[in-house]
Amino acid sequence: MKREERQQLIVNLLVEDKTVDVDDLAERFSVSKMTIHRDLDDLEQAGVLRKVRGGATIDAGTQFESDFRIRERQDGEAKVAMAQEALAIIEPGMTIMVNDGSMAAVLGEMLLRKRPLTVITNNAAIMERLKGENGITLIALGGIYSAKFNAYFGVVTEEALSRLRADIAFISTPAVSGRLAYHMDDNVVRAKRAMISSSTKSCLLVNHQRIGHTALHVMADLADFDTVITDSAPAAAVLEEFDRAGIKLTIAPAQDQA
């Protein structure tokens, strides 16, 4: 088996199980543990996973978020449910901003139902889907391309956002704890903050599994958002904290209820 093929199979296992064990992988592929370590090193350098003692994981850490190619294959039903809820906020004729991320990419796919729209985005997946579509005025933000996030960031992105205005921005986050939303990458944080600043309203999208976690950088206070959408109710203590802080939390209904 070629190295590239073995590494792709490791990625597939990570998508299914979120963690892999060096001993198990060595036995599965009939190779040495050293070979598996080299495979994991390659994938870690590519930003696909993070190594932990005895194996690797794609679970987000305070300084790690898995590659876009991994995330777009995870939690499909939750993403669709949240995207449908977000879509209900949008009215034809609006100018909207949509940030990077696999969650946002699902929303981007649905925007065609609300045309005509002006869509401002740094998300390459949304750019690819919406380009050339009738009824969509697509403003694609340039900048430095990040394969890890499949989006554009940096000074060029932020400068463009400072000169644009939208009715609403849809912002996703990999971590929420207390009243704060977090992200592990400073370039991503700056782009998201610029979108919030350039929009009349803003909406935060967060998987309920990410509530109760932190990352390296504080991105925003939840009070900065007009609404927060998640796919399932978090713990009662979290709901009480949100209620005390006046944070509007919307629970997206399951797909079969939508």
Side-chain angles (χ1 to χ4, degrees), residues 2-249:
K2 293 181 179 180
R3 174 182 294 183
E4 293 78 8
E5 182 181 356
R6 186 174 60 248
Q7 290 182 0
Q8 183 58 56
L9 291 173
I10 291 173
V11 169
N12 293 343
L13 289 170
L14 282 164
V15 171
E16 294 177 8
D17 302 328
K18 294 191 176 182
T19 60
V20 291
D21 180 83
V22 170
D23 292 340
D24 290 344
L25 292 175
E27 182 177 353
R28 176 188 292 265
F29 297 119
S30 301
V31 295
S32 69
K33 295 179 185 179
M34 187 60 66
T35 296
I36 295 299
H37 275 294
R38 285 195 292 267
D39 286 337
L40 297 181
D41 286 340
D42 289 345
L43 292 170
E44 184 175 50
Q45 187 173 4
V48 174
L49 54 78
R50 62 184 173 101
K51 291 184 74 176
V52 295
R53 185 177 179 84
T57 182
I58 56 171
D59 281 338
T62 59
Q63 299 186 56
F64 172 79
E65 173 72 305
S66 58
D67 188 278
F68 180 89
R69 292 165 294 179
I70 291 280
R71 287 179 283 117
E72 69 178 345
R73 296 168 59 184
Q74 293 180 299
D75 303 319
E77 290 185 5
K79 290 172 182 173
V80 169
M82 287 187 284
Q84 288 175 335
E85 195 67 32
L87 199 68
I89 303 173
I90 301 171
E91 297 178 3
M94 278 186 166
T95 296
I96 67 169
M97 290 183 178
V98 188
N99 74 173
D100 66 287
S102 58
M103 169 66 249
V106 174
L107 174 59
E109 177 78 20
M110 295 182 180
L111 293 178
L112 295 171
R113 304 177 194 174
K114 293 286 186 169
R115 53 187 151 186
L117 290 174
T118 296
V119 180
I120 303 167
T121 187
N122 63 336
N123 190 317
I126 296 177
M127 295 177 191
E128 184 63 28
R129 180 63 186 90
L130 297 186
K131 68 181 185 183
E133 287 286 348
N134 292 329
I136 299 291
T137 299
L138 177 63
I139 300 178
L141 299 169
I144 298 174
Y145 177 71
S146 166
K148 180 179 179 67
F149 295 104
N150 196 29
Y152 296 86
F153 303 102
V155 173
V156 174
T157 312
E158 295 157 29
E159 176 66 17
L161 284 166
S162 73
R163 296 178 178 277
L164 295 167
R165 291 296 180 268
D167 296 302
I168 188 167
F170 291 94
I171 308 296
S172 55
T173 184
V176 164
S177 183
R179 289 185 48 170
L180 300 176
Y182 296 82
H183 202 283
M184 55 288 297
D185 188 281
D186 57 344
N187 285 318
V188 178
V189 167
R190 287 195 297 269
K192 292 177 189 289
R193 286 177 179 170
M195 285 190 174
I196 295 169
S197 296
S198 295
S199 298
T200 304
K201 294 183 178 181
S202 58
C203 172
L204 183 70
L205 304 165
V206 57
N207 188 301
H208 79 281
Q209 297 176 346
R210 303 294 185 97
I211 297 176
H213 297 273
T214 63
L216 182 61
H217 302 284
V218 173
M219 182 183 76
D221 191 304
L222 297 187
D224 294 340
F225 298 95
D226 295 273
T227 188
V228 178
I229 296 176
T230 190
D231 61 300
S232 183
V238 174
L239 291 173
E240 291 174 6
E241 184 174 14
F242 283 6
D243 188 57
R244 287 196 303 270
I247 295 166
K248 182 183 177 183
L249 180 67

